[in-house]
Amino acid sequence: MSSIAQLHTSSFSVRDLELKLKQVRLAHPEQALPSPPSSDSGSSSPKESQAEESYFLRSLKECLAIYEEPSRSRSESLALLSDEEVIMLANNGNIATYALEKLFGMDQLERAVRIRRAIISRASSTDTLESSSIPYENYDYSRVLGACCENVVGYIPIPLGVAGPLTVDGKQYPILMATAEGTLVASTSRGCKALNAGGGVSTVLVGDAMTRGPAIDFPSAMQAGKAKAWIDSSEGHKVLREAFESTSRFAKLKSLKTGIAGRTLYVRFATTTGDAMGMNMISKGTEKALEAMQKCFPEMVVLALSGNYCTDKKPAAINWIEGRGKSVVAEAVIPGHVVKTVLKTTVRDLCNLNVKKNLMGSAMAGSIGGFNAHAANILTAIFLATGQDPAQNVESSMCMTLMEPTGLNGEDLLVSVTMPCIEVGTVGGGTVLAPQQGVLEMLGVRGAHPQQPGQNAQTLARIIASAVLAGELSLLSALAAGHLIKAHMAHNRSQVNTPAASVPVTPGAGLVSRNS
């Protein structure tokens, strides 16, 4: 049969042409034209793409020659390689998986994440990450790189709900909460409604100082004692303060607390940190202060910049007593009729329950700062929504909830929460992420305050304490009235397996009008 006859009788599709063109491009990437749009109506699955790229995979030697070509940058060379070829180089040890973003460059961060997912997935026993429902597309990884996370393989969306609004110091704020616990947002909204009916929440900021507590060894307890006396003196304090404050215009040393155990000295530096939560800032200042101290005590050895005398991300009595971060008291008066109609209980029952549960029960358990019903629930949900460090909920959620009758005949309820360790910031850390910045913007506290450094972070702490007050009020009321289990059975069960009997009312404009 002639070649012309064969041409007319052969079966040939557009897809065949695309694959042939791709084969040529992969063989000679430096001469390739831009890829034509695919004729597929939908995108290929990861497994299909993997199989297709493997069909045209060049040898390791060829890929390595392209990658190591000295006339091109690494990012330019990687652009000439397919995903599967990059994976082959990584698996062969030619490319470090942790350094993919640096190698690809800022305009190819999503591709770096996609390739890392494939490498990790295929090396795991389950081989599920590459095709899993964990999302990775359409995310601004430039904000993550070098700031929030390493070896990134995607992100985890958390439902974001809004409670309130809640009136705090005369201004209304939406309470935005990232949580997967049903009833939490609805319950907090009920607390907001009751608080607003009494005129809202008043707050007092009683302290603002982040801390760092290094551990310092000396040859003997006598020498450690001399160093302690020097730090406690006006001369020693002056030397350390000047060195500390030279590292930042926002870091102002407020106090130095010393403790000694054997020949080890502990120094608790406490400082303001502007609108940042401040751990990096205070660590830098502490390091500089210790350098100045070593000139006076050359025999000292800094064991650790953090000697657990701070104390960070661990329950500690020193935080409960001395405070850490923002120390806030939030208070409100709830009219007696609101307690009955909105909270469905009585002032007497609430006060009795609070004493027996939050005060006596926590004391029986030997709790440190746990004299509350569920402060950590509300605080952590707001931490996640606003880009705070969720591990700091350990000390930040330390809280004492107090309730007592007030008014002429004791018919109204005076309720407060005392929270000495709310560790928050509105700049740095997770606050650089766009969604979290959006939440901070809704609260009017995004970034650094232009005129008064620290005011935005302080306002956020006040809002959190007030929201905790709303959550405490609602949960204790549910317990007093015996409604807790009913609410959870209705709103906190899996919709897939056990459909809820009802849906909580969404807070919004209606709530505003009822409270106005």
Side-chain angles (χ1 to χ4, degrees):
M1 183 183 292
S2 69
S3 58
I4 296 177
Q6 286 180 339
L7 180 63
H8 284 289
T9 57
S10 297
S11 175
F12 193 77
S13 67
V14 175
R15 181 62 174 162
D16 292 331
L17 177 60
E18 287 179 349
L19 293 176
K20 187 64 178 175
L21 288 173
K22 185 170 184 178
Q23 186 177 30
V24 173
R25 288 197 303 273
L26 290 173
H28 304 284
E30 68 283 351
Q31 301 176 14
L33 293 172
S35 302
S38 174
S39 62
D40 290 347
S41 57
S43 59
S44 301
S45 68
K47 295 294 185 183
E48 290 171 343
S49 298
Q50 178 186 342
E52 182 182 306
E53 288 199 8
S54 297
Y55 181 77
F56 297 114
L57 199 63
R58 285 168 288 196
S59 68
L60 176 62
K61 183 178 180 181
E62 289 176 299
C63 294
L64 201 54
I66 294 171
Y67 177 64
E68 294 181 342
E69 170 57 47
S71 65
R72 292 188 295 261
S73 67
R74 285 287 190 251
S75 60
E76 290 172 332
S77 294
L78 286 171
L80 300 175
L81 298 171
S82 69
D83 286 4
E84 289 300 323
E85 289 168 339
V86 176
I87 293 168
M88 179 172 62
L89 289 176
N91 288 336
N92 194 57
N94 302 110
I95 294 176
T97 305
Y98 69 84
L100 286 172
E101 287 87 353
K102 181 180 179 181
L103 294 170
F104 274 107
M106 296 301 289
D107 60 339
Q108 290 290 311
L109 296 181
E110 187 174 298
R111 187 186 179 201
V113 173
R114 182 174 69 244
I115 289 173
R116 181 180 293 114
R117 285 166 67 98
I119 295 168
I120 299 299
S121 182
R122 297 174 200 179
S124 69
S125 59
T126 57
D127 191 16
T128 59
L129 176 60
E130 194 172 2
S131 57
S132 75
S133 56
I134 300 171
Y136 74 93
E137 297 175 312
N138 303 316
Y139 195 81
D140 187 357
Y141 290 107
S142 66
R143 296 173 182 256
V144 178
L145 189 62
C148 298
C149 189
E150 301 77 44
N151 282 331
V152 179
V153 294
Y155 56 93
I156 298 295
I158 303 174
L160 180 67
V162 58
L166 176 59
T167 301
V168 180
D169 297 323
K171 185 175 179 180
Q172 284 199 331
Y173 295 93
I175 307 301
L176 292 131
M177 307 165 72
T179 181
E181 180 177 344
T183 76
L184 183 59
V185 175
S187 176
T188 306
S189 273
R190 184 174 75 142
C192 291
K193 181 179 180 182
L195 291 170
N196 289 339
V201 182
S202 298
T203 68
V204 180
L205 185 83
V206 296
D208 184 0
M210 183 46 65
T211 63
R212 179 55 91 198
I216 310 164
D217 256 3
F218 288 84
S220 69
M222 293 293 292
Q223 289 167 296
K226 289 180 181 179
K228 182 183 186 305
W230 179 79
I231 293 171
D232 293 340
S233 70
S234 57
E235 177 196 352
H237 191 281
K238 182 175 183 291
V239 170
L240 295 182
R241 187 186 70 249
E242 288 177 353
F244 187 98
E245 294 182 358
S246 69
T247 61
S248 171
R249 63 191 177 98
F250 297 111
K252 303 297 179 185
L253 190 63
K254 298 185 73 172
S255 68
L256 291 167
K257 182 179 180 65
T258 55
I260 190 170
R263 62 186 183 91
T264 304
L265 177 66
Y266 297 87
V267 186
R268 192 173 192 258
F269 290 76
T271 179
T272 57
T273 55
D275 283 303
M277 183 273 289
M279 287 308 304
N280 291 337
M281 187 186 301
I282 191 172
S283 295
K284 184 179 178 182
T286 300
E287 194 171 46
K288 190 72 173 179
L290 293 177
E291 289 176 6
M293 181 178 171
Q294 192 142 36
K295 293 177 181 177
C296 300
F297 299 92
E299 71 277 13
M300 67 181 253
V301 176
V302 180
L303 294 176
L305 197 61
S306 173
N308 280 7
Y309 196 54
C310 316
T311 295
D312 189 39
K313 301 175 184 176
K314 292 166 283 291
I318 195 168
N319 288 346
W320 178 239
I321 297 166
E322 298 285 337
R324 189 170 195 258
K326 277 64 175 168
S327 300
V328 181
V329 178
E331 179 186 67
V333 174
I334 316 296
H337 71 274
V338 175
V339 174
K340 292 179 180 179
T341 58
V342 176
L343 301 176
K344 311 298 182 184
T345 186
T346 66
V347 171
R348 179 181 177 182
D349 287 345
L350 268 177
C351 292
N352 180 58
L353 175 63
N354 188 66
V355 170
K356 303 292 176 60
K357 171 183 167 62
N358 285 344
L359 305 184
M360 294 170 60
S362 296
M364 290 288 289
S367 178
I368 299 176
F371 301 96
N372 59 83
H374 70 149
N377 249 342
I378 292 87
L379 178 135
T380 305
I382 300 176
F383 266 33
L384 292 172
T386 57
Q388 311 305 313
D389 187 337
Q392 288 184 317
N393 78 77
V394 175
E395 62 270 35
S396 294
S397 60
M398 284 183 168
C399 172
M400 178 182 286
T401 301
L402 298 174
M403 294 182 175
E404 58 184 289
T406 190
L408 292 177
N409 300 309
E411 71 276 12
D412 300 327
L413 177 69
L414 175 63
V415 57
S416 68
V417 292
T418 301
M419 304 184 70
C421 312
I422 303 179
E423 299 169 1
V424 292
T426 57
V427 298
T431 69
V432 304
L433 302 174
Q436 285 78 359
Q437 283 188 347
V439 172
L440 292 171
E441 197 165 34
M442 286 184 67
L443 296 172
V445 295
R446 175 180 172 179
H449 193 279
Q451 284 84 38
Q452 297 175 283
Q455 185 169 308
N456 279 353
Q458 291 175 357
T459 298
L460 178 58
R462 293 174 188 267
I463 293 169
I464 290 172
S466 301
V468 167
L469 185 63
E472 289 287 282
L473 186 62
S474 185
L475 176 56
L476 288 168
S477 298
L479 286 168
H483 295 163
L484 179 65
I485 297 301
K486 293 178 182 177
H488 272 265
M489 292 298 287
H491 306 314
N492 195 21
R493 302 180 71 190
S494 170
Q495 294 287 328
V496 175
N497 299 319
T498 52
S502 61
V503 178
V505 176
T506 301
L511 183 57
V512 177
S513 62
R514 286 196 297 273
N515 292 331
S516 59

